[in-house]
Amino acid sequence: MRTRRTAELGALAALAYLPFLASDPGRISADSKQDLYLDPGALLARATDLWRPQVGAGTVPHQELGYLVPMGPWFWAFDRLGVPDWVAQRLWWGTLTLAAMLGARWLLGRMGAGRAGALVAALVYGLTPYQLAFTARMSVLLLPWAVLPWLVGATVHATRTRGWRWPAAAALAGFAAGGVNASSLALVGLAPLLWVALELVGRADPRRVLAAAGQLVPLAAGLSAWWLVGLRLQAAYGLPVLQLTENVDTVAAASTPGDVLRGLGNWFFYGRDRTGWSLDQAEAYATDRLVVAVTFALPALALAAALVVRWAHRAYFALLVVVGTVVAVGAWPTDDPTPWARVWRTFTSETSLGLAFRNSPRAVPVVVLGLAGLLAGVVSAIPPDRRRALAAGVVAAVAVAGLLPVWTGGGYLTDGMLRPEELPAHWRTAVAAIDAEDHGTRVLELPGSSFAAYTWGTTVEPITPGLTRRPYLAREVLPAGTPPSVDLLAAFDRRFQLGIAEPESVAPVARLLAVGTVALRGDLEQAGRFDTPPPDEVWAVLQQAPGLGRPDLHGADAGAVPGVPAVALLPVAGARPIVRLAAAVGPVVLAGDGDGIVDAAAAGLLDGRALVLSASALDEAGLADALEADAHLVLTDT
C-alpha cells in the first residue's frame, strides 16, 4: 500500500513539475511582478511601506503588501541560492499545481471517495484549464485555487470535531493564499461557507458547527489582519484602482455558463491585442472542436453522475457546481440580462464593495472542485474491480486531454509574454548610469506604454523601477501617484502618443516634476501591439528640446528602428530637486488641468521653476493672496 501511495505521489509530482520545466526553458514569463525576478529582496524590504515615494511622484502602492506571503519569500530564497529565475518560476507554478492536486486528493480521501476516487479528483482539479489564464501573467491569483481543497477539508474537520486544531488549519490555509487579491479569496470562500450552511441544515445539533465558526472566523481575521489593514489604507488613500481597470461589461463578455463549467470564463483568457491572442492556448479552447468537445465532456460526466449515483456528499459537491456557476457567470449576458445578471450588475457597478467582486469568474475553482468531487463519487461507487479501474482511467484521460493545447502546442506559456533570463547589456549600463546621477531628482521614461514589450522580450511592467533606486516616472496602464501628478504626466505623455509633442514643453514640465534625467525607451516593440508612438518621432522631439543636455547613448544600434538608440539619457538643465522651496512672489495661477500646464510650458509661460498654483484649489482669500504676490494668471479653454 505504501509503495502504491509513493508511486501515486511521484506521478502527481511529475505531472505537476515536468511540463512546466519543459515549457520554454531559459526564458522568463511576465508573471505577477517583475521585481520578483529583478530584485526580490528590495521588494520584500519595501512591501510594508504603504507610501512609496520612488514611483509616480509618490504613490500608495497597490497590493504590494500581499507579496510578503508567500510569493516574495519564495523568489527571494531561490535568488539567494543562485537558482536561475526561470527555474524558480517553473518550480513555483509546479508547486501551486501539486498543492492543488494533493489538496483535492486529501479532501476526497477524507470524505470517503477511496483511493481511486481521490486520485481522479486530484487530476480533475489540478489539470483544470482555469490555471492557463493566470500562469503566464498573474500566477499569484492562483493561490486561492491551490489552497481551496485544504481550506474545505479543514473546515469539514472543524465542524465535526472539537478543539482549535482544525479551525487553526483552516485559518492558515486562508493565510497561505496571501493578500494580493482579497476578492479572489472571498469568492473561493463560497465552498467552505456552503459546507457550513449544509451542516447547519442537516445536523441535529448545530451548536458544534456554530462553535467551529466562532473559532475559525476570529482566527482567520487575526492571521489576515496584516493585509486587511493595508488594503483598507490603500483604498482610503490610494488612487481608485478598481474604477480605473476592467469594468463589469468586459468581465461578463466571457463568463458564459458553458465556459465556466469548462474551467474557463475569465475575460483575460480570451484577450487579444494587435498581434493576436494574448495567450497562445486561447484560440484552441475557442475554436478547436476536439478541445471544445473534451472540455465539455468532463462536466457532462460529472453532472450525469450527480443524477444517478448515490453518495453521502453528493448534495454538497452538486451545490458547489450550481452555486459556483451562478456566481461565476455574474452579469452575463450583457445584451439580454437575466434577473440575476441585473442584480449582479447593480451590485458590482453601483457599490464600492461590489466593484471589488466584478471579476466573478474567479469563483470557477469552486465549480471545478464540485466537478472533481462528483466524479470522485461516481468512481468510488463502482465495485472495486476492473470496472472501477476502467472508470478511473477514462475520467483521468479526459482530465489530461483537457490540457490538449498545452501538450501539443508547446507548453503552458505564451511566446508574447516571455523574455530571456539575462537582460540586455544596454539596460544594465543605462541603469548604472541612472543610479550614478543625483537621487534628489527623478528619471522620466518616454514614451509611456500601457504594457512594457521590448524588442528583446515582454515584461508587462517596465524594468527600470525594479533595477534602480532612483525615483522614477512613466505613464503605464495602471496609474501610480496622486491625482495631480497622474493628470500632468498623462497630459504630457499624451502629446507624444498623438505625435504632437512640442520640444519647448519638455524641460519645463520635467522641472515641475523634479525630473533630472529624461530617458528614451527606443527599444519598445514596434509591431503596433500597444500603440506606442514611433521611437524616431519621440527621439526627434527630445533632440530638439531646449533645456535638455547631450544624450548618453546605450545600445546605439539596438533601437526598434534604425538610427534610434535602445536607451538615451538626457540631463535636464536647471533641474529642480524633489524637496525644494519656491518663491511665493510671482506665482503662476493656472485655471485648467494637466493639458493646460503642458500648453503653457510650450508657449513659454512656464519654465518649471516658478510656483504653480491651481485655481480650483484656491479659495477667495487664497486667490487674493496670490494676486497680491503679483501672480501670473493662465486661463485654458477648460
Side-chain angles (χ1 to χ4, degrees):
M1 180 65 71
R2 180 173 298 179
T3 302
R4 181 178 296 176
R5 185 179 295 112
T6 302
E8 287 180 1
L9 291 175
L12 291 177
L15 198 55
Y17 287 106
L18 294 182
F20 285 118
L21 290 168
S23 299
D24 295 286
R27 296 205 287 173
I28 298 172
S29 187
D31 177 27
S32 296
K33 207 159 185 63
Q34 277 301 303
D35 290 1
L36 292 167
Y37 314 104
L38 299 173
D39 194 343
L43 173 64
L44 290 175
R46 68 169 184 266
T48 55
D49 295 330
L50 296 183
W51 174 252
R52 192 177 176 193
Q54 291 83 11
V55 172
T59 191
V60 177
H62 178 58
Q63 297 180 333
E64 198 168 85
L65 182 68
Y67 287 95
L68 281 173
V69 178
M71 199 171 185
W74 175 279
F75 284 93
W76 176 83
F78 279 97
D79 181 64
R80 298 292 292 175
L81 292 171
V83 176
D85 290 335
W86 78 269
V87 175
Q89 187 180 67
R90 304 309 193 272
L91 294 177
W92 165 256
W93 295 332
T95 300
L96 289 176
T97 301
L98 184 61
M101 287 180 169
L102 294 181
R105 180 176 177 267
W106 171 76
L107 171 64
L108 271 300
R110 288 299 186 100
M111 298 183 82
R115 185 184 63 82
L119 184 59
V120 161
L123 293 173
V124 170
Y125 189 74
L127 298 180
T128 173
Y130 173 79
Q131 61 179 299
L132 295 177
F134 302 102
T135 297
R137 176 65 184 88
M138 296 177 288
S139 69
V140 69
L141 297 183
L142 289 175
L143 281 166
W145 163 71
V147 306
L148 177 58
W150 302 98
L151 178 60
V152 171
T155 303
V156 169
H157 283 290
T159 58
R160 296 194 164 187
T161 59
R162 297 186 181 276
W164 288 87
R165 175 187 176 188
W166 289 109
L172 283 171
F175 173 79
V180 171
N181 194 282
S183 61
S184 296
L185 183 58
L187 285 168
V188 301
L190 280 170
L193 187 63
L194 287 172
W195 174 265
V196 171
L198 276 183
E199 287 287 273
L200 286 173
V201 172
R203 287 175 69 92
D205 182 10
R207 287 177 296 179
R208 177 62 248 151
V209 180
L210 293 175
Q215 294 171 308
L216 199 159
V217 171
L219 283 172
L223 284 175
S224 300
W226 61 279
W227 61 263
L228 288 172
V229 172
L231 186 65
R232 176 68 186 90
L233 292 173
Q234 290 167 16
Y237 299 103
L239 291 173
V241 173
L242 295 176
Q243 288 85 347
L244 297 171
T245 49
E246 66 274 5
N247 57 37
V248 177
D249 287 340
T250 299
V251 173
S255 59
T256 66
D259 266 12
V260 165
L261 287 169
R262 291 200 294 156
L264 301 171
N266 191 287
W267 69 274
F268 182 80
F269 182 74
Y270 289 123
R272 304 188 71 165
D273 56 43
R274 291 178 181 267
T275 61
W277 298 88
S278 296
L279 300 175
D280 288 350
Q281 303 85 5
E283 185 175 9
Y285 285 96
T287 62
D288 189 294
R289 293 183 179 180
L290 177 59
V291 174
V292 171
V294 168
T295 50
F296 270 117
L298 206 63
L301 288 172
L303 294 175
L307 295 175
V308 300
V309 175
R310 292 186 177 276
W311 185 42
H313 301 295
R314 179 181 64 171
Y316 173 64
F317 287 104
L319 196 62
L320 290 186
V321 175
V322 174
V323 175
T325 300
V326 170
V327 172
V329 165
W332 182 92
T334 57
D335 53 348
D336 185 20
T338 62
W340 165 253
R342 290 193 185 94
V343 171
W344 188 262
R345 171 182 292 280
T346 300
F347 172 61
T348 55
S349 61
E350 298 182 12
T351 67
S352 298
L353 176 64
L355 193 59
F357 288 91
R358 68 200 185 285
N359 271 301
S360 57
R362 292 179 188 171
V364 166
V366 175
V367 179
V368 178
L369 184 61
L371 298 174
L374 292 174
L375 289 167
V378 71
V379 169
S380 65
I382 298 173
D385 54 21
R386 292 182 179 179
R387 288 175 295 173
R388 176 181 289 183
L390 178 61
V394 169
V395 175
V398 175
V400 172
L403 289 180
L404 197 61
V406 172
W407 315 135
T408 61
Y412 274 99
L413 304 185
T414 291
D415 189 64
M417 291 284 180
L418 298 173
R419 71 164 173 88
E421 170 83 16
E422 296 296 328
L423 297 176
H426 60 255
W427 271 108
R428 293 290 184 185
T429 60
V431 168
I434 288 171
D435 270 338
E437 297 297 327
D438 179 16
H439 284 222
T441 63
R442 299 183 173 97
V443 58
L444 168 65
E445 282 194 328
L446 293 170
S449 181
S450 295
F451 303 102
Y454 303 89
T455 55
W456 43 268
T458 299
T459 60
V460 178
E461 293 181 325
I463 60 173
T464 314
L467 295 172
T468 181
R469 297 295 172 267
R470 189 173 172 191
Y472 166 90
L473 277 174
R475 197 274 303 168
E476 300 178 58
V477 67
L478 188 63
T482 58
S485 65
V486 168
D487 177 52
L488 177 56
L489 181 60
F492 183 56
D493 182 74
R494 185 159 51 244
R495 308 305 172 94
F496 287 94
Q497 303 294 330
L498 297 175
I500 57 173
E502 297 173 275
E504 293 77 13
S505 69
V506 177
V509 172
R511 294 188 191 105
L512 279 176
L513 291 170
V515 169
T517 304
V518 175
L520 167 75
R521 294 192 284 187
D523 59 349
L524 290 178
E525 188 179 37
Q526 284 303 300
R529 186 176 180 185
F530 298 123
D531 288 331
T532 51
D536 50 342
E537 293 183 7
V538 179
W539 181 223
V541 171
L542 296 181
Q543 287 179 300
Q544 298 169 31
L548 296 188
R550 183 177 179 179
D552 175 19
L553 306 183
H554 299 266
D557 299 320
V561 298
V564 177
V567 185
L569 307 178
L570 300 94
V572 179
R576 309 289 288 167
I578 297 171
V579 180
R580 61 184 185 268
L581 297 175
V585 177
V588 175
V589 177
L590 185 136
D593 58 3
D595 285 293
I597 293 178
V598 177
D599 286 336
L605 300 176
L606 295 176
D607 63 3
R609 297 181 177 89
L611 178 65
V612 178
L613 302 173
S614 171
S616 63
L618 296 175
D619 57 18
E620 187 174 342
L623 182 58
D625 290 341
L627 293 174
E628 289 181 7
D630 297 325
H632 303 279
L633 303 180
V634 178
L635 177 65
T636 74
D637 61 359
T638 58

